[in-house]
Amino acid sequence: FSREDGRQPLSVYVDAATWASDSPDPLEAKPGSMRIGTEGGTWSTEGQAPMADLLVLMDDPQHKTGAHGALDSYLSDRGE
């Protein structure tokens, strides 16, 4: 996505990538060339969170997986 769209992810973890965006809508926030779907070669959306909340979690030494771990914690704490 960095080549096609000029966008770098905050984190890449196994089969997930985390992006920063001004939009709270994951479909608007994704890089333009990222295809969302269920077939091979596509991505799915896992959720969204305010950056201020993620930054607090990313500073926590428990979160060794960066933005991905912070988002996972944020969503789990909210039952999502």
Side-chain angles (χ1 to χ4, degrees):
F1 305 108
S2 59
R3 251 185 286 130
E4 292 90 355
D5 302 303
R7 303 233 357 240
Q8 300 290 332
L10 290 176
S11 71
V12 176
Y13 183 72
V14 185
D15 63 351
T18 308
W19 305 89
S21 172
D22 291 331
S23 175
D25 180 348
L27 295 178
E28 287 180 17
K30 71 174 188 63
S33 64
M34 178 183 269
R35 294 183 351 187
I36 304 297
T38 56
E39 58 277 346
T42 63
W43 299 77
S44 62
T45 60
E46 290 187 12
Q48 59 85 22
M51 183 59 77
D53 293 338
L54 290 184
L55 289 175
V56 171
L57 294 170
M58 288 168 62
D59 281 342
D60 186 334
Q62 290 185 111
H63 298 290
K64 296 181 169 83
T65 56
H68 178 76
L71 179 61
D72 189 48
S73 259
Y74 177 88
L75 296 174
S76 291
D77 289 349
R78 282 152 188 76
E80 296 180 39

